[in-house]
Amino acid sequence: MSTAPAINTAPAALTPAAHDLSRLNTLGLASQAEAFVTLDDAAQLPALSDLARRADSLLVLGGGSNVVLPERVSGLVAKVAFGGVQLLQDAPDVRLVEAAGGESWHGFVEHCVDQGWDGLENLALIPGTVGAAPVQNIGAYGVEFEQRFHSLTAWDVTAARLVEMGPSDCRFSYRDSTFKHDAPGRWIIVSVRFALPRPWRPVLGYPDLQRHERLAHGVPSARDIFDAVCDIRRAKLPDPAVTGNAGSFFKNPIVTADVRDDLAERFPGLVSYAQPDGRYKLAAGWLIDQCGWKGQVLGAAGVHDRQALVLVNRGGANAADIMALAGAIQASVQARYGVMLEPEPVVV
Ligand code: EPU
């Protein structure tokens, strides 16, 4: 981690105001912020640090696709909205692309595919922002964010300075990074740089991609993979603009080989994936589905009828409704399989 050059524009002011967050979280939970600011420019970051010092807490919102918000959020809420994408380097072995933290993740991936900057296409249609991607080290269809990560610039809210971070500073693991463990509100991710290896090689190992008809003939392009991933996600996952959801609500649990072998003997269809360290990742969606939860409802919260790992807001749900359903699912999976599921979104 190293100090980045200081912000070179004049500091800009920020005026907090009460704000409705219902449309700023993809679960669509009714939520009110007491004090809310939008960050459109890095020049506002010093003013944010001043405000945060005087507030009880700071909640940083990107696309709001991985949070469970309470009905009232006290303290300061900052929505990151800086935009911008640029190609920094086009070398024979790697392309270096930079995107601002407030860019829509999917919009950025689509722009890369349009420009022929291949390598992120397996991560199409993941809701949220570029700045949120490193926080939970997003991944899908055989590609994890960290495999394409080069470095990032973050604002240290407490110290009021910009820092540069490389992969080891971010301490990535499955759906996890240092940003999830540091004090909430410590970091604002200002921009992220991606290293896209050349020559490009398609990543087609994920079973859903192998089965997809778009990818069955000849060597597919990055655009073909992008389109196939969009098809698969649209078929399985609810569109947050229509049905409130936060993607996978639980992480896939990682267990020892002994635990996995014992479960596989007792439950023959068990879906598990060997990990590089000898442990196994279990498909949480399968465990939840087998407990009979797919399509079930509890009050205003429900389990998606095509992917049991996704909890949905059936209309008017609040955080307590979602967490009551999550708790009931955790208890039944624990009782049947002895495995505790861990929520993936940040529960505020
Ligand atoms: N399964 C079931 N029933 C279900 C859901 C899944 O039996 O209701 C089985 C599937 O048949 C499959 C296995 O479980 O054999 C895995 O399912 P899937 O391929 O849908 O992936 P996942 O493990 O449930 C993960 C990510 C997703 C990502 C997909 C594709 C996590 C927590 N989730 O889901 O990410 O899109 O793989 O790579 O790692 C997200 O993080 O929000 C997210 C959507």
Side-chain angles (χ1 to χ4, degrees):
M1 192 154 73
S2 60
T3 306
I7 296 164
N8 57 8
T9 42
L14 277 177
T15 310
H19 198 82
D20 180 7
L21 303 178
S22 324
R23 287 164 179 274
L24 298 183
N25 74 100
T26 62
L27 264 166
L29 304 179
S31 179
Q32 287 288 331
E34 278 177 5
F36 175 88
V37 291
T38 301
L39 303 171
D40 323 280
D41 191 325
Q44 295 164 319
L45 290 168
L48 178 77
S49 286
D50 285 345
L51 288 174
R53 220 167 280 132
R54 283 177 269 135
D56 296 340
S57 60
L58 169 64
L59 170 66
V60 182
L61 270 188
S65 58
N66 213 43
V67 280
V68 180
L69 293 179
E71 273 170 293
R72 300 223 145 263
V73 185
S74 56
L76 183 64
V77 179
K79 158 112 180 119
V80 180
F82 324 116
V85 174
Q86 53 178 329
L87 179 64
L88 297 179
Q89 194 188 331
D90 204 357
D93 57 338
V94 71
R95 226 178 234 124
L96 214 56
V97 179
E98 181 177 60
E103 284 287 334
S104 134
W105 174 262
H106 177 69
F108 165 62
V109 171
E110 188 166 31
H111 180 73
C112 289
V113 172
D114 287 345
Q115 298 296 317
W117 305 339
D118 299 341
L120 294 173
E121 52 286 342
N122 294 57
L123 302 175
L125 222 56
I126 297 181
T129 56
V130 167
V135 176
Q136 48 145 189
N137 185 21
I138 59 174
Y141 303 102
V143 174
E144 301 289 304
F145 171 88
E146 65 180 300
Q147 297 169 326
R148 302 286 181 265
F149 175 72
H150 178 273
S151 56
L152 60 80
T153 304
W155 177 256
D156 181 338
V157 176
T158 317
R161 57 172 191 156
L162 286 176
V163 296
E164 299 289 336
M165 293 186 180
S168 61
D169 301 313
C170 298
R171 291 192 284 132
F172 293 122
S173 60
Y174 168 63
R175 296 293 185 277
D176 202 18
S177 72
T178 194
F179 305 107
K180 272 197 166 179
H181 298 277
D182 281 352
R186 166 90 189 268
W187 299 104
I188 303 268
I189 297 177
V190 178
S191 58
V192 181
R193 287 167 294 278
F194 297 84
L196 307 179
R198 299 178 78 183
W200 170 78
R201 283 193 190 83
V203 179
L204 298 167
Y206 202 85
D208 284 354
L209 294 180
Q210 286 180 356
R211 284 193 287 264
H212 200 280
E213 40 138 80
R214 265 186 211 274
L215 306 177
H217 317 286
V219 180
S221 65
R223 164 72 60 185
D224 294 329
I225 297 174
F226 175 88
D227 289 340
V229 168
C230 290
D231 285 352
I232 296 166
R233 292 190 73 102
R234 287 197 177 107
K236 265 196 189 177
L237 301 170
D239 176 357
V242 179
T243 308
N245 76 91
S248 301
F249 197 87
F250 298 101
K251 293 186 191 182
N252 286 327
I254 296 176
V255 299
T256 62
D258 287 349
V259 168
R260 180 261 175 196
D261 291 348
D262 172 54
L263 286 172
E265 208 176 296
R266 287 160 48 217
F267 304 99
L270 184 83
V271 182
S272 64
Y273 312 94
Q275 300 299 292
D277 63 2
R279 294 185 298 166
Y280 282 82
K281 195 190 274 180
L282 306 180
W286 186 88
L287 300 174
I288 298 168
D289 195 357
Q290 293 294 307
C291 289
W293 281 105
K294 203 185 254 176
Q296 295 295 313
V297 300
L298 187 65
V303 179
H304 187 49
D305 53 8
R306 276 168 283 151
Q307 184 15 317
L309 200 47
V310 175
L311 303 194
V312 298
N313 177 355
R314 301 174 60 240
N318 60 23
D321 296 320
I322 296 288
M323 295 315 291
L325 176 58
I329 292 171
Q330 283 171 316
S332 74
V333 169
Q334 167 84 49
R336 183 162 172 163
Y337 299 101
V339 173
M340 189 59 183
L341 295 180
E342 194 188 323
E344 192 187 84
V346 175
V347 181
V348 178

